[in-house]
Amino acid sequence: MRSGPSSSASAGRGDGGLAIGTVLPQTGSLAYLGPPMFAGVDLALREVNEAGGVMGRPVSKVDTDSGDSATNIASQSVDKLLAQKVDAIIGAAASSVSESIIDKITRAGVVQFSPANTSDKFTTVDDKGLYFRTAPPDKLQGRVLGDLVASDGNDTVGILAMQDSYGTGLADQVQKSVTEGGGEVVERVDYDPKAPDFSADVAKIKMKNPKAIVLIGFEETAKVVAELVKQGLTADRHKWYMVDGNMSNTNFLKMPKGTLKGVKGTLPGAAAPEAFQKKLLEVNPKLTEFTYAAESYDAVTLVALAAEAAGDDSGVAVAANLVDVSKGGEKCTGFKECADLLKAGKDVDYEGVSGPVDFDDVGDPSVATIGVYQYGANNKFDAGKAVEYRKGHVAG
């Protein structure tokens, strides 16, 4: 647990100009999430700078690639950003990638703010008070997904999860929730996402013939799905459930129509509002995916508001004010509205596009929404119900 930015992090006032870096996926297994996340960052920065910037100066930005956990790209990107003296870094998307760079970032006294990390490890990590996220931790998504599986009447469940901090952490939470709901996880396989094929992994699930199959992974899930179909474990015979890492509407469009019909899944965060999607499309007209765009937008807006509130763009000053601008003051939306209140001497409570945010003392959102989605015959998903989590309990 932490009480605030540590004095062991590099201190000292900023140079008066807020600089933001991004370490987001341009390549690798989460590359499909890159465009909406970059668009969210760019939209927020556009609005901040159109409103006069932070402390009267425009906010600058440097974009870099995070790659994935199979590469060293993220570490090289962080070196580049630190050399350019950024005050805050937005990213990474994958929890395992963030784990590999968090020490380097926070030791430098720079804020690391992820729009998409969900691993529970970040709740207790030694981050010197400099790590924040707008995505809720896996214990929330896992609980909602496990409850969904149980409420659909599945008393026997198989889990296929990628073996990394994201996959195993989320699988642990789903398993716990299913068991507490009276169900039984009859087989769980934590697989190597880089494996050439998944026939042996799927065969283990087939042996136990579960009513439901939970798929936790990234883009390799498309190969897992093909193997499930090949071995007769189709979605019309077993109920499939997926998660934010593999629910992309681009992953499954090449498959025969109906392959994913009826499949359900969960995504942290509410669906991006239509008006917000239109603004994102002005930034990038080619967007087809909006996952984590709102969380990225909120991350940048909150960093800018924290610097404005502090009157200081240094990472330590930004971190010291992020909790305050996220809750407890006069509610406001968007940078301009909130910044005008700050300039008038008011305390603000930023209400994000992704939700209320309201950071707790370890930089996690204390209020979060988990969306429940369902695929149609076209192998694309549409928004379903949203489940809100607030300080320790889930409410439907």
Side-chain angles (χ1 to χ4, degrees):
M1 305 295 279
R2 65 182 189 180
S3 57
S6 166
S7 59
S8 62
S10 300
R13 290 188 66 81
D15 59 9
L18 180 62
I20 290 176
T22 65
V23 181
L24 295 171
Q26 297 171 347
T27 61
S29 56
L30 286 183
Y32 77 92
L33 288 178
M37 295 173 85
F38 280 113
V41 168
D42 290 346
L43 176 60
L45 276 175
R46 186 177 79 182
E47 292 180 1
V48 168
N49 287 333
E50 284 177 352
V54 171
M55 297 179 292
R57 290 179 60 177
V59 178
S60 61
K61 179 193 64 139
V62 183
D63 289 329
T64 67
D65 182 18
S66 64
D68 58 29
S69 58
T71 67
N72 194 40
I73 292 172
S75 182
Q76 295 167 18
S77 293
V78 169
D79 289 342
K80 174 183 175 183
L81 294 174
L82 294 180
Q84 298 194 42
K85 301 195 181 312
V86 299
D87 304 298
I89 291 176
I90 307 299
S95 293
S96 56
V97 174
S98 280
E99 279 185 52
S100 72
I101 58 178
I102 187 169
D103 287 345
K104 185 181 288 190
I105 296 171
T106 56
R107 272 201 312 268
V110 171
V111 168
Q112 181 178 359
F113 199 140
S114 174
N117 288 167
T118 58
S119 171
D120 292 326
K121 291 182 180 180
F122 294 109
T123 299
T124 54
V125 72
D126 178 14
D127 59 6
K128 302 176 177 62
L130 292 167
Y131 175 88
F132 294 81
R133 55 179 164 184
T134 34
D138 283 333
K139 64 183 177 186
L140 311 187
Q141 183 181 188
R143 186 170 169 190
V144 170
L145 182 55
D147 288 350
L148 175 66
V149 171
S151 66
D152 283 350
N154 302 295
D155 53 6
T156 57
V157 181
I159 298 176
L160 280 159
M162 68 184 292
Q163 196 165 25
D164 80 340
S165 60
Y166 169 79
T168 55
L170 192 45
D172 287 345
Q173 293 296 337
V174 171
Q175 186 165 355
K176 181 173 183 282
S177 189
V178 165
T179 304
E180 288 174 350
E184 181 186 1
V185 174
V186 293
E187 184 63 74
R188 172 175 163 179
V189 181
D190 290 16
Y191 62 79
D192 175 4
K194 301 296 182 185
D197 77 70
F198 301 97
S199 56
D201 301 315
V202 170
K204 290 177 184 175
I205 299 291
K206 184 176 182 178
M207 286 270 295
K208 299 296 177 66
N209 195 33
K211 289 183 182 175
I213 301 172
V214 179
L215 306 173
I216 301 171
F218 292 158
E219 66 179 2
E220 83 288 344
T221 301
K223 294 179 182 177
V224 176
V225 163
E227 189 60 39
L228 285 168
V229 172
K230 184 178 176 183
Q231 295 195 28
L233 302 175
T234 51
D236 58 345
R237 296 180 183 179
H238 304 261
K239 292 178 180 174
W240 296 355
Y241 296 85
M242 300 203 293
V243 290
D244 57 307
N246 57 18
M247 280 189 69
S248 167
N249 271 330
T250 60
N251 275 349
F252 308 107
L253 292 181
K254 294 177 183 175
M255 293 186 171
K257 288 204 166 155
T259 301
L260 272 77
K261 184 179 180 182
V263 174
K264 294 180 182 178
T266 50
L267 284 172
E274 192 174 336
F276 180 66
Q277 289 187 24
K278 286 180 180 175
K279 288 183 181 179
L280 291 168
L281 288 167
E282 291 173 12
V283 173
N284 181 357
K286 295 180 180 178
L287 277 185
T288 57
E289 189 85 39
F290 298 96
T291 304
Y292 290 125
E295 287 80 1
S296 302
Y297 171 91
D298 287 341
V300 171
T301 303
L302 281 160
V303 166
L305 287 172
E308 184 72 41
D312 183 353
D313 59 282
S314 70
V316 171
V318 168
N321 284 270
L322 272 168
V323 174
D324 287 344
V325 298
S326 78
K327 65 181 181 183
E330 191 170 330
K331 292 189 185 301
C332 53
T333 57
F335 177 79
K336 186 177 189 310
E337 182 185 348
C338 295
D340 286 347
L341 288 170
L342 287 172
K343 288 167 186 171
K346 303 280 183 66
D347 184 18
V348 300
D349 177 358
Y350 174 71
E351 294 284 283
V353 179
S354 66
V357 186
D358 291 6
F359 289 123
D360 61 20
D361 62 356
V362 296
D364 287 344
S366 60
V367 181
T369 301
I370 308 292
V372 177
Y373 297 79
Q374 185 162 341
Y375 284 87
N378 61 353
N379 296 337
K380 292 178 71 174
F381 66 81
D382 295 306
K385 65 177 181 176
V387 179
E388 184 178 273
Y389 165 88
R390 182 183 292 270
K391 295 177 183 174
H393 69 273
V394 173

